[in-house]
Amino acid sequence: MDWTKTNLTSTIDFDAEGRQVGDLRLPYSDNEQPLGYYPIPVAVLKKRKGPTLLLTGGVHGDEYEGPAALMQLLHSFNLDHLHGRIIIFPALNPSAVVAHARCSPLDDGNLNRAFPGNKKGEPTGMIAQFMEEVVLPQCDAAIDFHSGGKACVFAPLAMVYLGARTADEKSLALAEVFNAPYIWSAEFAEQATFNAAAVRQDVPMFATESGGGGGVNPQMVQLVAGGLLRVMHYLGMLDDSVKIPAAGNVAVPIGVGMNGKIYSNRQGLFVPAVKPEQSVKSGEAAGMMYSVIEPEREPSTFCFIEDGIVLSVINRGMVERGELLVMTGNTIARG
Ligand SMILES: [Zn+2]
């Protein structure tokens, strides 16, 4: 790790053998921490030779299934079975996590839109720059665990960016091994995400979406935890004695187009008519909008404009014009 590239410091040695848990120290002086530091929890498990796998949760602070699976791994995994190194950040944006918020209350930053970040910037940009320039170059593979947060509920899926880099095929292979029911292949269009940072650093990576709604879906936690063990096994990081959860059906490749995104065109109370993973047809109702503060207004039905599989459903109740209500994807040919 090249610590000259960051203003963050660490209470643990990332290169030491064994099981270490501690803080990254984010220097940021404000009213809460005038002379102290903001701690970013980190754990490193290292034993024998092998690849380095980066695991991150809490990039968005209100998405809890991934952090739960990472804490489960940290406290149940027997280090004696490991070949390599696992770097675990269960709450990479801790100020957002403790605030139950998507973005950091320190600077309103959205960590998954802050890459490549800035070493001397606001806290969110400092974390992004640290991950992109200091941590990712040390990694052989990475998984970033998301869910729908308070805003929506997601079908379980693995999302890969296809950036025409050498790591693309490996990212897809990892996502297939993880075996969430769906794989969302996205073009490398958004440059500011964690996935985009991994493309730039040529590190195989996928992100997950699994559950959400502001709570913890225990089935999704187990799905994530099982997929994680399959990836570690695939990378050769586990002894043969470790029991690997069986994979389900082959994950379905999904693409999302503009016609798959249904946005609200008004303020109102949205009642969804569908659930994640449901197959829907063009013309079918996605949900009903009621103008509760203008009760004389007729309710309106939002309909799908193409066939697809429901990937996300909003979880808000009252919505504003412009909010994404329901998103569908289409199966695409396996590349
Ligand atoms: Zn997220």
Side-chain angles (χ1 to χ4, degrees):
M1 305 269 280
D2 186 352
W3 292 95
T4 65
K5 290 185 173 175
T6 178
N7 288 335
L8 276 65
T9 56
S10 173
T11 63
I12 64 172
D13 179 356
F14 280 61
D15 295 316
E17 287 259 329
R19 181 181 184 280
Q20 300 176 81
V21 182
D23 287 347
L24 278 181
R25 294 174 163 181
L26 175 78
Y28 184 65
S29 177
D30 62 6
N31 285 327
E32 299 298 317
Q33 289 285 18
L35 298 173
Y37 66 90
Y38 278 95
I40 300 171
V42 61
V44 175
L45 310 183
K46 187 166 187 269
K47 187 96 176 185
R48 296 184 281 262
K49 287 201 181 326
T52 292
L53 174 63
L54 172 65
L55 305 171
T56 51
V59 164
H60 291 137
D62 62 348
E63 302 174 3
Y64 302 120
E65 284 81 356
L70 293 182
M71 290 303 292
Q72 187 177 307
L73 178 78
L74 176 60
H75 288 282
S76 66
F77 184 72
N78 183 342
L79 186 67
D80 292 337
H81 297 313
L82 183 64
H83 294 253
R85 176 170 63 165
I86 318 172
I87 302 174
I88 303 173
F89 290 95
L92 187 58
N93 200 352
S95 300
V97 173
V98 298
H100 320 281
R102 178 176 177 83
C103 299
S104 169
L106 298 182
D107 57 9
D108 286 332
N110 178 346
L111 181 51
N112 212 25
R113 302 291 184 277
F115 289 84
N118 182 354
K119 176 180 174 181
K120 294 176 179 166
E122 296 289 301
T124 304
M126 288 168 69
I127 297 171
Q129 185 268 342
F130 172 76
M131 296 307 287
E132 176 154 352
E133 292 187 28
V134 180
V135 179
L136 275 175
Q138 300 296 313
C139 297
D140 299 292
I143 312 174
D144 184 26
F145 296 98
H146 289 253
S147 77
K150 288 178 186 168
C152 71
V153 178
F154 258 100
L157 58 86
M159 201 263 269
V160 292
Y161 266 15
L162 302 181
R165 300 290 181 104
T166 52
D168 279 5
E169 275 186 30
K170 291 179 183 171
S171 298
L172 261 178
L174 290 176
E176 286 176 353
V177 168
F178 184 77
N179 195 235
Y182 307 100
I183 295 176
W184 178 4
S185 302
E187 294 298 322
F188 181 41
E190 173 59 75
Q191 305 281 326
T193 62
F194 206 157
N195 281 58
V199 170
R200 283 191 289 272
Q201 298 298 327
D202 216 16
V203 177
M205 175 175 174
F206 65 90
T208 66
E209 297 286 1
S210 52
V216 185
N217 178 328
Q219 283 88 32
M220 292 290 183
V221 175
Q222 291 321 310
L223 184 143
V224 166
L228 187 44
L229 281 180
R230 284 189 292 276
V231 168
M232 290 171 65
H233 178 254
Y234 172 81
L235 292 171
M237 299 180 76
L238 298 178
D239 270 350
D240 291 340
S241 61
V242 177
K243 198 167 177 293
I244 307 302
N249 295 329
V250 175
V252 177
I254 290 278
V256 178
M258 275 314 291
N259 285 343
K261 294 179 178 177
I262 300 176
Y263 296 100
S264 174
N265 63 0
R266 62 199 252 200
Q267 185 189 56
L269 175 61
F270 182 69
V271 183
V274 293
K275 290 181 176 170
E277 299 193 69
Q278 191 173 327
S279 290
V280 295
K281 295 276 181 210
S282 174
E284 195 176 314
M288 186 77 102
M289 186 77 80
Y290 296 98
S291 295
V292 284
I293 54 167
E294 299 170 89
E296 67 282 1
R297 251 180 111 163
E298 287 288 322
S300 54
T301 304
F302 284 71
C303 293
F304 294 104
I305 48 180
E306 65 176 20
D307 297 356
I309 298 162
V310 176
L311 297 182
S312 75
V313 177
I314 198 164
N315 186 54
R316 287 207 196 279
M318 281 299 289
V319 303
E320 301 298 324
R321 181 180 173 98
E323 284 199 66
L324 180 64
L325 300 174
V326 182
M327 183 171 76
T328 62
N330 289 109
T331 55
I332 54 177
R334 200 165 283 273

